Amino acid sequence: MKHDFVSSRIRLALSGLCLASCMLFTPAVTRAEVSLPPPQIGEGMPVMQALAKRHTSRSFAEAEITPAQLSHILWAADGVNRPESGGRTNPAALGVHSVEVYVVTAGGISLYQPNSHALQAVAEGDFRLTTTSGQGFVGEAPLTLVYVGNSATWEESGRSLPAEKQVLFDSVAAGAMAQSVALAAAAEGIGTCVRASIDQDAFGAAAHLQDGQTILLAQTLGVLP
Ligand SMILES: Cc1cc2nc3c(=O)[nH]c(=O)nc-3n(C[C@H](O)[C@H](O)[C@H](O)COP(=O)(O)O)c2cc1C
């Protein structure tokens, strides 16, 4: 059972951009971006109803997650909700937004760019099973988000903390992000499963992670049956 989450046009664009840039750059981390539709903030289910629906799901329908739904999910994860200050939908210790959201689909891996509300291509191919250490449903689900802390962001902020504190604060932030995603997803009829069971080496290699990047949490999503 195969699922596609992005429309064929966006997926083709992501693949093409990644392929072109992979030929130009080594490693294959690229600057190619695909814009997401803007989030529709005036729409949606009341938060109390979304909370009433939240639960862990590990089996999904064959339906796709649409670009509009993906836009809502990623905006809930780490979107800019106060453009005047650059503030995000989720809190961050000392205001340092050091947790990045990798987006893993059947077509490839990309990195969410909160400021441009876009996806930056990272790798082409189906790497969904690298995000799990053995849960088969992850390889069939249309979308997995991987929350990764980045010590370089702490260093650049000038507010560096001891490494264990950074990972602790980043983990708390990732939990907040995942719960926002769970609620936004529940409001769209999309189920979620947060997961600590991740093949760290396999995903680190697939996503070209560098020293100082720490895989914190994964979250698999799919349309509810
Ligand atoms: C930090 C954390 C790690 C988790 N890791 C996994 C996991 O690796 N695989 C999985 O299937 N569920 C995982 N879960 C989901 C829990 O199993 C689930 O939340 C729990 O059974 C309660 O069910 P509910 O979310 O439907 O209330 C994790 C939850 C948390 C908070």
Side-chain angles (χ1 to χ4, degrees):
M1 179 171 53
K2 281 252 176 189
H3 302 264
D4 295 318
F5 85 97
V6 208
S7 72
S8 54
R9 201 166 43 157
I10 293 179
R11 197 176 47 181
L12 197 65
L14 269 174
S15 304
L17 287 169
C18 187
L19 190 64
S21 47
C22 287
M23 291 160 64
L24 292 171
F25 301 103
T26 303
V29 178
T30 77
R31 294 192 173 278
E33 282 193 9
V34 175
S35 294
L36 292 160
Q40 300 303 306
I41 295 162
E43 296 177 0
M45 180 183 283
V47 70
M48 295 301 275
Q49 289 176 28
L51 276 164
K53 286 182 180 292
R54 190 222 67 85
H55 64 280
T56 295
S57 305
R58 298 184 184 87
S59 88
F60 306 110
E62 280 196 51
E64 295 181 6
I65 291 177
T66 66
Q69 289 171 327
L70 181 64
S71 166
H72 288 176
I73 286 162
L74 292 174
W75 190 77
D78 200 25
V80 174
N81 66 352
R82 287 153 290 160
E84 63 286 357
S85 65
R88 309 270 179 97
T89 50
N90 284 287
L94 300 173
V96 178
H97 289 276
S98 47
V99 178
E100 298 166 337
V101 184
Y102 284 79
V103 178
V104 186
T105 72
I109 301 175
S110 48
L111 181 59
Y112 179 54
Q113 304 294 313
N115 292 324
S116 51
H117 195 54
L119 292 175
Q120 182 185 66
V122 169
E124 188 185 13
D126 188 351
F127 297 104
R128 289 176 293 178
L129 281 172
T130 67
T131 72
T132 176
S133 50
Q135 292 191 275
F137 78 93
V138 175
E140 302 294 330
L143 174 63
T144 288
L145 306 180
V146 182
Y147 300 91
V148 177
N150 194 342
S151 66
T153 309
W154 282 101
E155 281 152 27
E156 285 158 18
S157 75
R159 306 181 114 163
S160 243
L161 295 170
E164 67 275 11
K165 269 275 163 63
Q166 290 179 13
V167 172
L168 173 66
F169 289 170
D170 285 352
S171 301
V172 172
M177 295 160 85
Q179 180 69 354
S180 291
V181 165
L183 295 180
E188 307 254 1
I190 292 170
T192 58
C193 178
V194 291
R195 294 184 294 103
S197 58
I198 302 163
D199 187 332
Q200 300 262 339
D201 291 342
F203 182 74
H208 310 295
L209 298 188
Q210 308 290 313
D211 285 349
Q213 288 188 283
T214 304
I215 300 168
L216 304 167
L217 196 65
Q219 187 171 31
T220 295
L221 297 94
V223 176
L224 289 170

